[in-house]
Amino acid sequence: MNDLTNIIKERRSIRKFTSQLPDKSLIDQVIEAGIYAASGRGKQAPVVIAVTNKELRHRIMEENCAIGGWDKGFDPFYGAPVILLVIAPEEIPTSVYDGSLTLGNMMLKAHELGLGTCWIHRAKEEMEGALGDEILNKAGLSGKYIGIGHLALGYPDGEAAPIPPRKDNRVIYID
Ligand SMILES: Cc1cc2nc3c(=O)[nH]c(=O)nc-3n(C[C@H](O)[C@H](O)[C@H](O)COP(=O)(O)O)c2cc1C
């Protein structure tokens, strides 16, 4: 069943990917879901940078690994062939919220399409360094951008984890 509630409930963070690159049409559909997210004052400020270039993917991996303090050789993107980096202009006050919603939409759309994702953190620090400048340059962007987050994107390698039960006392009605 592919109704929205199931997609929301069954989506899981995937931490093992096959090396198969999804067709561009699938990647496009995931990104489209992201850029249709609501945004503060309708500014549509977040930008999605899809990295399929192996050399750049490797450098982002190394940078993320270093920022995270892991030993060299660990891949914080779990072998995913695509990295979707979401950035948003520094001057937009809702940038972090807008970008987070963009990432959330993309996670759900990817799951609907049979792809796996995992939100990978440390985009903020990454965009503050020299690699961030280089990424902006390669993307043809100027101005100041905050790194909001990445998605590791690809085909899951293995079965999805069961749905973790929700914690109690997280919903409060005030009637
Ligand atoms: C803001 C944010 C940052 C996250 N950063 C990472 C990360 O760097 N690496 C990782 O493996 N998972 C990361 N995750 C995934 C969470 O660990 C995951 O969503 C959580 O364990 C719940 O599992 P689920 O996504 O399968 O429901 C992040 C999730 C969010 C929302």
Side-chain angles (χ1 to χ4, degrees):
M1 262 206 292
N2 258 2
D3 80 311
L4 183 58
T5 304
N6 282 321
I7 291 166
I8 290 169
K9 288 186 175 176
E10 289 171 359
R11 177 215 56 81
R12 293 275 70 75
S13 292
I14 301 300
R15 295 195 174 84
K16 196 173 178 204
F17 293 88
T18 73
S19 58
Q20 186 188 347
L21 183 67
D23 283 349
K24 185 167 180 300
S25 66
L26 293 178
I27 302 173
D28 284 344
Q29 287 181 65
V30 172
I31 296 170
E32 182 185 43
I35 63 171
Y36 269 82
S39 59
R41 304 184 76 187
K43 293 269 185 196
Q44 300 185 26
V47 173
V48 182
I49 299 178
V51 180
T52 54
N53 176 281
K54 284 189 177 166
E55 198 245 320
L56 183 58
R57 185 222 178 272
H58 189 77
R59 294 188 50 215
I60 294 174
M61 174 193 91
E62 285 186 332
E63 180 77 0
N64 204 282
C65 180
I67 295 166
W70 288 286
D71 289 340
K72 238 180 163 190
F74 173 66
D75 178 2
F77 295 90
Y78 309 109
V82 186
I83 294 176
L84 299 179
L85 168 63
V86 175
I87 60 173
E90 212 174 68
E91 72 272 14
I92 300 281
T94 54
S95 267
V96 175
Y97 312 103
D98 298 342
S100 300
L101 206 49
T102 302
L103 285 149
N105 273 15
M106 294 198 295
M107 289 195 279
L108 296 177
K109 185 67 193 182
H111 180 60
E112 185 195 33
L113 295 172
L115 297 171
T117 60
C118 189
W119 179 317
I120 308 300
H121 208 43
R122 298 163 293 281
K124 180 175 183 291
E125 297 84 345
E126 197 177 282
M127 289 308 295
E128 286 167 354
L131 181 61
D133 292 339
E134 200 183 315
I135 291 170
L136 289 183
N137 200 28
K138 277 188 200 294
L141 295 169
S142 54
K144 294 203 162 173
Y145 284 83
I146 307 174
I148 312 297
H150 320 75
L151 289 189
L153 174 72
Y155 287 100
D157 186 357
E159 291 303 306
I163 302 172
R166 299 295 101 178
K167 291 187 177 173
D168 291 335
N169 304 319
R170 293 182 58 213
V171 179
I172 298 163
Y173 277 86
I174 301 179
D175 294 322

